[in-house]
Amino acid sequence: MLSLPLLGPLAAFALVASITPGPNNVMLASSGLTFGFRRSIPHMLGVSLGFVLLMVVVGLGLGALFTRAPWLYTALKYGGAAYLLYLAWRIARSGPMEDGAQRGKPFTFMQAALFQWINPKAWVMAIGVIATYTPQQGFFTNLMIAAVVCGIVNLPSIGVWVVFGVALRRLLHRPGAVRAFNWVMALLLVASLYPVAHELLGA
């Protein structure tokens, strides 16, 4: 059983990992600005529950599959990087707030959940939790507890970014300001691919 002394550090790790900038949070801030809080709720739930599912599946043996077939992990990593670039392009081209309903739709629950499988930060978080905070004795029970803790901490943490985006709706009234914000979010999303680019260029 996951001991009480580990629960605090696990929750702290989940908080820091969830609330710091990354692909999910950049897209959630942009969604909050463009579509508002209510329409971004499925996106939030998809991110949180999708990450929990990813962590459980990785803990139950997907990591061993990647060890036997490393090309699968490589394909997933570079395919995910390409998709992130596409998302950055979409964010950069987002229109003003009043055009949000006409210039695209917010992520659905399923889209956000599936996105976790190609999100490099989600993989790092999942592996970090499993390797550091999930004792091997009673592993399955510990994995479930860790997943619940991460889910509880993750949802309000990413919600902060949606609220941040919504708050900016009141400040960014000019279309040019909204486009500038979307370009900054797009560039941050591209910047989050630095580890993948560094590995590719250093190979």
Side-chain angles (χ1 to χ4, degrees), residues 148-159:
V148 170
V149 170
C150 287
I152 291 173
V153 173
N154 179 262
L155 187 59
S157 298
I158 62 176

Side-chain angles (χ1 to χ4, degrees), residues 72-155:
L72 287 175
Y73 178 75
T74 301
L76 188 65
K77 177 170 58 178
Y78 290 118
Y83 186 60
L84 280 175
L85 291 175
Y86 166 71
L87 291 176
W89 176 73
R90 283 188 55 186
I91 290 173
R93 294 184 69 251
S94 295
M97 291 171 282
E98 59 269 18
D99 293 341
Q102 298 154 358
R103 300 242 0 205
K105 298 179 181 179
F107 259 33
T108 65
F109 172 87
M110 188 60 66
Q111 286 174 323
L114 291 175
F115 174 70
Q116 304 318 301
W117 293 88
I118 57 171
N119 179 5
K121 185 180 178 183
W123 280 91
V124 170
M125 288 173 59
I127 294 171
V129 169
I130 294 166
T132 309
Y133 302 103
T134 310
Q136 293 301 305
Q137 186 174 3
F139 178 77
F140 181 78
T141 300
N142 291 330
L143 179 63
M144 295 301 108
I145 294 174
V148 170
V149 170
C150 287
I152 291 173
V153 173
N154 179 262
L155 187 59

